[in-house]
Amino acid sequence: MKKLMKMAVVAAMVLSGLAGCSSNSEPEVNECPIKIGLVTDTGGIDDKSFNQGTWEGILAYAEENNLPSTCYSYLQSTSDADYVPFLSQMGDDGMDIIIAPGFLFIDSLNEVAPNYPDTAFVIVDDVVEQPNVVSALFNAQEPSYLVGVAAAMKAKAAGATKVGYVGGMEFDTIKAFEAGYREGVASVDPTIEVLYDYVGDFVSADLGKALAQKQFNEGAYVIYQVAGAAGNGVIAEAKERREKGEDVWAIGVDKDQHTDGLLTDGSSAVLTSALKHAGAAAKECIELEAAGKFPGGTSLVATLATGGVGYTTTNTEAMTADIVAACEDAAAKIKNGEIVVGTVPNR
Amino acid sequence: MNILYDMFSLALMMATPILIAGLGGLFSERSGVVNIALEGMMQVGAFACAGLVFVLEPHFAPGSPMPIAFGLVLGAICGLVLSIIHAYACIHLKADHTISGTAVNLLATGVSLYACQIIFDQQRTPAFTKAISKVSVPILKDIPVIGDLFFDNVYPTFYLGIIIMILTWFIVFKTPFGLRLRSCGEFPQASASMGINVIKMRYIAVLTSGFLAGLAGGVMVMSQNTQFTAAAIHGYGFIAIAALIFGKWNPFGLLGASIFFGFAQTLGLYVKDISFLAVFPPEFFNALPYALTIIALIVFSGKYNGPKAAGEIYDAGKR
């Protein structure tokens, strides 16, 4: 019996070895006009944020250009230690363009990119200065302006005179959100006061909730949160108050946070969300690489005009036609340059 | 004065999970087992609670509190299950308590995220619709000052914490069982010589601490968050241990330490609006609760420095 088992195991090993050989011998490497690789950060491919968005951008490009599914793939990092080996593996596999979504990749890209000078790399939402890396950035102040318009119109309709802003940490990229928001609010009614607070980190939902409570108590009608996981607390507080019949709102960021704000009656406490479309940025970079025009060493800034940022109208009950019209009007003016949104908050 | 009441209500929100997890730590440490795995047990409890609430919600009438009740119970049970590992390693295998605790913390993060991935196909639970919300207690809230502080706009979980605290005080300090439990944390060999089963006592204590820490995790996610994420607990388990030490391994001291910590954290949020304090950079106030905790630990360090046998590996033959 034992002998039989051994033979079976050996047979299985030989067969699998053969199978490996046969697949290797198939010539399919050269069929790809472009080979695209994605390495996710620890958030995973379905994070409903940058990883997923980037992957959707790759899929959209593949569909438009009838790219065979063998020409693009992703590797999911399970820890920070995976970034360097995974990026290198993609490089060894002969990928033409490798995309790394998020600031977690800064160090690993600086290490790996010089080893593959002929490969194009893209970092999403941060800057890596290497000759073969493009930094895909977002003009966050522009969608922030639009949600500011929505916030102010909603507040005005309810007779409120204050709106709020809760940021994660007070540095330039996050302050740009505040700047855009403030300008958007002021464009509707300069007398509306914008309360602002910074959590101090991006993880403390309890502090986010406490700040939301503080601002709502001070009379804020709607709060725009740009605080990552800490921002969950802002949405939680808005939910709690709406559930009790109070008329207040939260505004989401980066992705559509409509479902995070769902209440027991099926409506949502999230008025709208300011979006960053990682997919649009990724697709643009791939198109440039495919055309041989990859702008290595520079930054590509996604704007309303390029379709890389935007806002949501998922909450159709709350985002009434006049608000959407005002947002669209403002968006058109930003696109044609009539309005230039600043990045320093005018407090 | 209104601002002060607002701040206090927030301080109680933050203090509640610290208090409940800290009481768990009290059971464990009083029996002689150091439990730095409170953080991990809270994490698993928070995940199980938030996950179950999301799953159950569609099966109950909208707004029903039942999913939350089931969620908290499951969270507590999952914390208890995780604590079995810590208990077995520390008591049976005679592992170093700190090393076992660290391992359980690492395991808890991995397990909860992995389970999220398998069950919900993402690294967090989906958002639940009904969270625990603040209540005002009729009549009692009209008492001047006390009513405003403790009975107006307070999470019901705070009262749950107070009930558990009183029960803990009674069990640990007023019953023969509690006396035996405490003796195991001071001089287990002497307890054994009097016929107390040290191993059994320590198992009961560690499992209780897991149950309470799991409950604290559920309370935290249901009263402060919209979903479970990897950052949902962010260090509260360790703060609970600090509060336990600060409170001299005493339930009432622990309550004071928890509220102190919550209030220090809230002060950091309001300080921007208090003109004479606003000259300091915001980072100063972010660090304030931790700095104050360290200072308080030094200032209030007195005679009792915790159960003598806590952290010591039990050796029945040692004299």
Side-chain angles (χ1 to χ4, degrees):
Chain A
M1 193 61 199
K2 250 188 183 170
K3 219 172 193 179
L4 206 68
M5 287 270 281
K6 265 188 196 165
M7 278 171 68
V9 169
V10 169
M13 282 168 73
V14 169
L15 279 175
S16 64
L18 283 177
C21 287
S22 65
S23 67
N24 275 355
S25 59
E26 273 173 33
E28 52 183 2
V29 178
N30 297 327
E31 286 171 12
C32 287
I34 183 167
K35 288 189 76 179
I36 310 163
L38 163 66
V39 178
T40 76
D41 67 20
T42 47
I45 193 74
D46 46 21
D47 64 348
K48 297 197 173 141
S49 187
F50 284 164
N51 291 323
Q52 186 174 350
T54 307
W55 182 238
E56 281 164 4
I58 294 173
L59 292 178
Y61 175 86
E63 196 176 332
E64 270 176 35
N65 296 278
N66 288 322
L67 208 61
S69 62
T70 46
C71 299
Y72 52 95
S73 63
Y74 64 81
L75 289 172
Q76 290 202 73
S77 305
T78 51
S79 79
D80 293 353
D82 286 338
Y83 300 156
V84 168
F86 279 7
L87 288 170
S88 304
Q89 188 183 332
M90 287 280 185
D92 291 337
D93 287 349
M95 296 293 173
D96 297 302
I97 180 166
I98 300 170
I99 305 171
F103 70 98
L104 290 170
F105 284 98
I106 294 175
D107 294 337
S108 45
L109 264 185
N110 272 319
E111 193 177 330
V112 173
N115 298 338
Y116 301 92
D118 298 331
T119 307
F121 289 90
V122 177
I123 183 158
V124 179
D125 206 27
D126 221 309
V127 178
V128 168
E129 286 179 358
Q130 296 285 347
N132 56 333
V133 178
V134 160
S135 309
L137 303 176
F138 301 92
N139 261 357
Q141 64 274 23
E142 294 183 0
S144 299
Y145 185 97
L146 301 183
V147 299
V149 169
M153 289 198 60
K154 200 80 190 159
K156 241 183 134 177
T161 56
K162 289 175 185 170
V163 297
Y165 171 86
V166 173
M169 293 171 88
E170 200 166 357
F171 46 68
D172 289 350
T173 38
I174 305 299
K175 273 156 101 174
F177 287 87
E178 187 192 337
Y181 181 63
R182 279 178 180 279
E183 287 188 28
V185 170
S187 74
V188 174
D189 182 352
T191 63
I192 293 181
E193 188 187 344
V194 180
L195 308 172
Y196 70 100
D197 281 292
Y198 285 84
V199 177
D201 61 47
F202 289 93
V203 296
S204 301
D206 51 334
L207 299 185
K209 185 157 189 181
L211 286 172
Q213 204 167 316
K214 175 184 162 213
Q215 293 191 353
F216 281 138
N217 283 349
E218 283 171 34
Y221 178 71
V222 40
I223 299 179
Y224 178 30
Q225 68 86 8
V226 185
N232 272 355
V234 175
I235 296 176
E237 181 65 19
K239 276 172 75 168
E240 191 178 327
R241 285 177 186 245
R242 281 202 81 77
E243 202 71 71
K244 284 185 178 165
E246 235 178 282
D247 186 22
V248 293
W249 297 96
I251 295 177
V253 75
D254 286 356
K255 57 184 180 183
D256 188 349
Q257 295 199 292
H258 184 78
T259 53
D260 290 349
L262 283 182
L263 304 173
T264 49
D265 63 1
S267 66
S268 177
V270 174
L271 176 64
T272 175
S273 303
L275 292 181
K276 291 177 179 174
H277 296 296
K283 191 160 160 265
E284 192 186 352
C285 291
I286 299 167
E287 280 161 357
L288 287 168
E289 167 67 16
K293 291 181 196 158
F294 189 72
T298 64
S299 297
L300 270 183
V301 181
T303 61
L304 281 175
T306 67
V309 292
Y311 71 106
T312 63
T313 53
T314 325
N315 199 342
T316 45
E317 253 173 82
M319 291 289 276
T320 48
D322 56 324
I323 297 177
V324 174
C327 289
E328 286 303 319
D329 183 48
K333 283 180 181 159
I334 293 172
K335 279 182 197 167
N336 68 24
E338 202 176 312
I339 298 174
V340 178
V341 189
T343 56
V344 181
N346 179 23
R347 286 173 185 158
Chain B
M1 208 55 190
N2 272 334
I3 280 191
L4 205 64
Y5 293 143
D6 282 352
M7 288 170 75
F8 201 75
S9 143
L10 290 170
L12 291 187
M13 174 185 88
M14 294 175 195
T16 304
I18 300 174
L19 172 67
I20 299 177
L23 289 169
L26 188 143
F27 270 100
S28 178
E29 300 226 341
R30 281 287 186 174
S31 83
V33 180
V34 170
N35 191 354
I36 64 159
L38 290 178
E39 173 87 3
M41 293 166 191
M42 285 178 79
Q43 213 155 18
V44 168
F47 155 71
C49 180
L52 187 69
V53 170
F54 171 78
V55 170
L56 287 185
E57 268 178 345
H59 303 294
F60 285 86
S64 161
M66 290 315 286
I68 298 177
F70 283 119
L72 291 177
V73 171
L74 183 73
I77 291 173
C78 288
L80 184 145
V81 169
L82 191 67
S83 70
I84 294 175
I85 300 174
H86 186 57
Y88 185 69
C90 294
I91 303 169
H92 261 101
L93 303 182
K94 304 195 171 172
D96 185 283
H97 300 180
T98 310
I99 291 173
S100 165
T102 308
V104 170
N105 279 337
L106 292 172
L107 178 72
T109 312
V111 163
S112 45
L113 290 185
Y114 185 64
C116 277
Q117 188 70 51
I118 289 180
I119 302 170
F120 302 112
D121 235 15
Q122 55 184 29
Q123 305 239 333
R124 49 183 64 195
T125 65
F128 42 80
T129 59
K130 175 144 177 68
I132 298 173
S133 53
K134 289 183 276 288
V135 294
S136 295
V137 184
I139 304 172
L140 289 178
K141 77 173 162 58
D142 298 326
I143 306 170
V145 186
I146 302 281
D148 289 317
L149 287 177
F150 291 102
F151 297 108
D152 198 19
N153 276 329
V154 173
Y155 285 92
T157 44
F158 173 68
Y159 303 125
L160 178 68
I162 295 292
I163 293 169
I164 297 173
M165 183 193 77
I166 293 169
L167 277 175
T168 304
W169 167 76
F170 184 78
I171 292 171
V172 175
F173 294 94
K174 295 289 159 197
T175 63
F177 170 82
L179 184 65
R180 290 177 194 146
L181 185 88
R182 281 181 290 139
S183 75
C184 293
E186 301 290 344
F187 197 168
Q189 290 81 10
S191 317
S193 76
M194 298 304 290
I196 296 170
N197 186 341
V198 175
I199 289 177
K200 189 175 129 198
M201 292 306 269
R202 288 191 170 180
Y203 260 102
I204 293 172
V206 176
L207 297 196
T208 308
S209 84
F211 186 86
L212 291 179
L215 178 67
V219 164
M220 186 160 170
V221 76
M222 292 312 296
S223 61
Q224 302 178 1
N225 220 318
T226 56
Q227 61 193 173
F228 169 81
T229 69
I233 303 299
H234 62 84
Y236 265 55
F238 295 108
I239 292 165
I241 296 169
L244 179 65
I245 298 168
F246 185 10
K248 301 274 173 215
W249 290 268
N250 178 300
F252 302 105
L254 176 63
L255 173 69
S258 309
I259 295 178
F260 171 81
F261 183 85
F263 199 79
Q265 203 153 28
T266 313
L267 186 66
L269 304 177
Y270 274 82
V271 89
K272 186 167 74 70
D273 304 329
I274 305 171
S275 53
F276 67 92
L277 290 174
V279 293
F280 296 102
E283 289 79 8
F284 176 80
F285 294 102
N286 294 339
L288 191 69
Y290 306 97
L292 284 180
T293 304
I294 293 172
I295 292 168
L297 279 176
I298 297 167
V299 172
F300 294 110
S301 67
K303 272 184 202 147
Y304 187 63
N305 282 321
K308 275 206 184 60
E312 214 175 85
I313 294 159
Y314 175 55
D315 173 6
K318 192 185 150 198
R319 288 292 174 267

